[in-house]
Amino acid sequence: MGRVIEAEDVNLGRRVALKLLNANKTTMLNADSLRHEASLVASIRHPSVVTVYSYGVHDGAPFITMELVEGTNLQSVIDEHSAHNSRVPLGRAWTIIQRIGEGLQAAHEAGVVHRDVKPSNVMIENRSGRPVLIDFGIAVRGRQGGTEIAGTPQFMAPEDFFGVDETIGPTSDHYAFASTVYELFSGRPAFDELPLPQLVQMKSRGAYTPFASIDSTLGPLDAVMSKALSGAMSDRFTSIRDFVAALEGALRTIEQSRITLDRVQRTSVPQADVLQILAIDDDDAFRKLAMRAAQIAFFGKKANTRGTATGDEALESTPRAPDLLMLDFDLPGLDGIETLTRLRNRPNGDKMRVVVVSGRAGERERWRFGVLGVQDFLKKPVEFGMMVQVLSDLAKAQGWISDVPMSAENSEG
């Protein structure tokens, strides 16, 4: 019917995603559907739900402009971990579940049912790691019956295959979200690919593969998932919030000392007036070198540059995530992945920019950071001048410093 392209809003000077229907193929039904989608999403206000800016018509072609979320969808992240015989780290999976759960709860409170919640409709934003729920193309408002069957079979609730008796409602999203949670934790779908009649029958019986049969350490989650994936609507959780709370209780019984279940508290620490830069590296000489590189790169900008030797030390002294983090991968105690996972869950965590500086920052290790939105890597040993240049380029891209060469006069000191 159309396409989604990157565009520039010339009036406001920002990049946007433009969802444009083809004028020569557009019917009134499609145009009404697009306007309906724009209206539904515009009624939701949450950082984990894609933002719609406007609806309009250009040369007979209806369009909506949306927030441009550049990144990787969660399905690709899960698949890449599986390809490396791994799973998304539990602490990071938990953060994603919290954020998307909050966004979906906000949608339901606005009266919107997504109807196609699945990992491929969750984006992990580049450089911020922010999880964002996208694609409300088949969403509806309120509870409806007789709606056409729509969605992705692997994630649809069993009653959604019939679309009768006012079954299309928030409970449909509850089931799809639970299926998404299952795949995020386990690295595999809750239900195997089967012919549709068999799939519907399995879902109606609640016959998913238990976590305990995949990984015994995840066994405590089975009681929660059995309720969330029940074939009977009345047996499931009554809200996304209740489901996430039950997951938290189950996760706290899992004996893995490095899992953090900190709740997201975005407003507990005020925004800092001075740019905060943090270097975490257990090599004292290199940590000081990284801090010096940052001081030069940010010359003329009010910035507080400090360093710690371990992730634990950084977390104890950092209630608010820094604006820029220079991070080693191999750290004593919490490694770089777990340290970054926890910092992402702190206030300012979705705005923090990260440069991984490590002897293991090659292609074999970079995929691990994709779920955290990291795009910038430097491999040790690294030339001091290159480090300064990378940090300067990042600072200019963020608008932290102006793109004006430093003169001999203003470089003194």
Side-chain angles (χ1 to χ4, degrees), residues 66-141:
M66 300 177 290
E67 170 190 9
L68 179 65
V69 183
E70 294 183 287
T72 305
N73 71 64
L74 185 57
Q75 186 66 64
S76 296
V77 170
I78 294 171
D79 291 344
E80 186 162 26
H81 278 75
S82 296
H84 288 86
N85 296 315
S86 181
R87 294 196 298 266
V88 175
L90 205 53
R92 178 57 180 165
W94 169 239
T95 300
I96 293 170
I97 288 165
Q98 285 186 84
R99 303 287 179 91
I100 297 302
E102 290 175 357
L104 199 51
Q105 181 70 41
H108 292 169
E109 291 173 357
V112 178
V113 182
H114 187 284
R115 296 183 69 202
D116 200 19
V117 178
K118 57 184 178 182
S120 60
N121 279 339
V122 174
M123 293 293 290
I124 305 299
E125 188 176 44
N126 287 344
R127 294 188 168 84
S128 74
R130 177 175 63 113
V132 185
L133 182 63
I134 63 170
D135 199 351
F136 283 73
I138 60 172
V140 296
R141 188 176 295 281

Side-chain angles (χ1 to χ4, degrees), residues 182 190-191 202 206-211 221-227 229:
Y182 180 95
F191 299 94
M202 283 190 67
Y208 75 99
T209 304
F211 278 122
L221 294 169
D222 279 325
V224 179
M225 295 307 301
S226 293
K227 182 177 177 67
L229 294 175

Side-chain angles (χ1 to χ4, degrees), residues 261-316:
L261 299 181
D262 296 339
R263 277 286 177 185
V264 181
Q265 297 180 4
R266 300 184 184 87
T267 60
S268 60
V269 178
Q271 181 76 20
D273 294 329
V274 178
L275 201 69
Q276 300 296 315
I277 302 173
L278 175 62
I280 308 176
D281 198 308
D282 59 329
D283 183 330
D284 291 343
F286 193 86
R287 184 173 68 252
K288 292 176 182 177
L289 191 71
M291 293 168 62
R292 180 58 178 159
Q295 290 169 344
I296 294 175
F298 286 80
F299 182 83
K301 174 73 176 180
K302 290 184 178 180
N304 175 35
T305 304
R306 63 188 184 90
T308 66
T310 69
D312 295 281
E313 181 184 345
L315 292 166
E316 289 178 5

